[in-house]
Amino acid sequence: MYSWPEVSLPALPGAPQPLQLFDTATRSLKSVEVGSHARMYVCGITPYDATHIGHAATYLTFDLINRQWRDQGAAVSYVQNVTDIDDPLLERASATGVDWRDLATDQIQLFRDDMTALRILPPTSFVSVVESIEDVAIKVRALLDSGAAYYVDQDIYFDVTSDPNFGQVGHYDAATELAYFAERGGDPDRPGKRNQLDCLLWRGTRDGEPSWDSVVGSGRPGWHIECVAIALDHLGMSFDVQGGGNDLIFPHHEMSASQGQVLTGEQPYAKAYVHAGLVALDGEKMSKSRGNLVFVSKLLESGVDEMAIRLALLQNHYRTDWEWTDSNLHEAQARLNRWREAVAPPTGPSADETLAAVRTALAGDLDTTAAIAAIDRWAEHQATTPGDDPGAPGIISRTTDALLGIAL
Ligand code: 5CA
Ligand code: ZN
């Protein structure tokens, strides 16, 4: 599937810093050394109710990682899926009387437009599940053949006991795993399953539901295996970062890791599992099921500057859960205005230390608040005692552009 337009990245002087990220699986900061080629998989949208501020915050997080690697001179293979066939999408389509394909097509285009406005670097492979059905079915077939999958009626399930490392992404206790599994698309109590946590790999044909013929018969893919098939086909095992919001830790990334490891006999599935905090509105996680959503496209339509939206998101550290408020957006707009005024004159205070401080902040688990504070200090300095370095405003503009994605 086509992605969205490339974003140009200005080159920066000086030396980049090695990137460290918090890895959910080892529960520690991990050095993400990639050399000349980085590989990242970020779970994409289920295309309805796109793009809300929570989605935007999550994709922005992985955009910062992408920008860190690009600053280091690495080529980045960045793969993102679109879950364009799944129960919630079909339910929304039927509730609103729209064909599920039309709903997906419209929402994917809206998402592309919003990502473009927010200056998110596009994935190198933007892959929909509908275009990957045969690849998914081949993986399901392999799991069946190895005994790691089994039939319940016409459906196929993954046996979680086939991976001795199951549980090592999230480290949750059994009760928490069960609760999350039930809450996030699982069916713990279906009769005929070997283990309550076994998850659906393939859903056999039902009347009135879309289905495809494949090497495991007619039906459609389950959720987790879609991401495994797309990641393995486009990146291979042991890619550098598996990303998503922290609501995907369990079961989604746990199941993905296990299925990838069982399929290939190799590990790890990903070298680091990186999770963004969830954005809330009015005290509750912004979610499609609750309907408490702020949409990027609606903010843009009402005349909000796209760079103010991006800066408002950056004002919160990616790992904390936080609340979207209008005051956050107003603060970002005021800051953006100060930064724009500060880079307008032909000269300014030396920018070398500021660039180094922004690089250090971002290399330390994407500390955007410290990076923003460094630019604030330079802008403040410029406002009170303007400097005479002719290269400085340009370096600051290129720094915010390349590393934070903020075009001044
Ligand atoms: N299609 C699957 C992934 S394979 C999915 O979770 N789709 S989604 O549309 O529900 O979410 C897309 C991404 O946005 C996921 O990484 C999810 O963790 C993230 N996300 C959803 N809600 C929020 C929120 N309120 N705050 C931050 N991130 C969120
Ligand atoms: Zn996924």
Side-chain angles (χ1 to χ4, degrees), residues 190-391:
R190 177 162 182 185
K193 283 177 29 169
R194 292 180 189 164
N195 312 285
Q196 282 195 297
L197 292 178
D198 289 353
C199 65
L200 186 73
L201 292 169
W202 187 261
R203 181 173 160 88
T205 304
R206 305 285 199 284
D207 278 351
E209 286 188 13
S211 65
W212 290 262
D213 288 331
S214 78
V215 292
V216 286
S218 175
R220 61 180 164 98
W223 177 23
H224 317 296
I225 192 69
E226 80 186 49
C227 282
V228 178
I230 294 170
L232 293 186
D233 288 351
H234 291 82
L235 294 173
M237 279 295 276
S238 301
F239 51 91
D240 297 292
V241 166
Q242 161 73 71
N246 67 25
D247 57 341
L248 297 189
I249 298 173
F250 196 95
H252 188 50
H253 292 165
E254 195 76 64
M255 296 293 179
S256 300
S258 277
Q259 291 169 9
Q261 284 157 190
V262 170
L263 273 166
T264 60
E266 294 168 29
Q267 55 175 322
Y269 179 65
K271 291 180 188 157
Y273 297 85
V274 178
H275 292 106
L278 299 182
V279 184
L281 183 71
D282 303 329
E284 297 234 51
K285 174 196 159 188
M286 212 178 266
S287 74
K288 298 162 172 174
S289 47
R290 289 196 185 88
N292 56 337
L293 305 173
V294 174
F295 294 102
V296 172
S297 53
K298 292 273 185 297
L299 290 173
L300 295 173
E301 268 168 33
S302 70
V304 177
D305 184 328
E306 55 263 36
M307 290 298 97
I309 302 173
R310 184 165 173 125
L311 195 51
L313 300 174
L314 290 170
Q315 285 172 173
N316 302 275
H317 188 260
Y318 83 93
R319 273 206 288 134
T320 53
D321 293 340
W322 56 280
E323 170 103 15
W324 175 261
T325 59
D326 284 347
S327 67
N328 186 29
L329 185 58
H330 294 146
E331 189 189 332
Q333 185 65 65
R335 171 170 278 124
L336 191 62
N337 296 345
R338 289 198 302 279
W339 288 8
R340 284 182 171 150
E341 270 169 39
V343 298
T347 63
S350 166
D352 298 348
E353 267 179 40
T354 308
L355 168 55
V358 171
R359 276 196 170 121
T360 303
L362 293 173
D365 200 28
L366 309 178
D367 189 347
T368 49
T369 49
I372 288 171
I375 306 284
D376 278 348
R377 281 195 301 277
W378 185 88
E380 179 69 23
H381 192 173
Q382 171 78 315
T384 50
T385 47
D388 57 6
D389 181 341

Side-chain angles (χ1 to χ4, degrees), residues 47 84 99-110 112:
D84 57 350
D99 185 286
W100 63 274
R101 282 161 292 218
D102 295 338
L103 175 61
T105 304
D106 290 354
Q107 291 285 306
I108 294 167
Q109 189 52 43
L110 188 60
R112 288 191 189 101

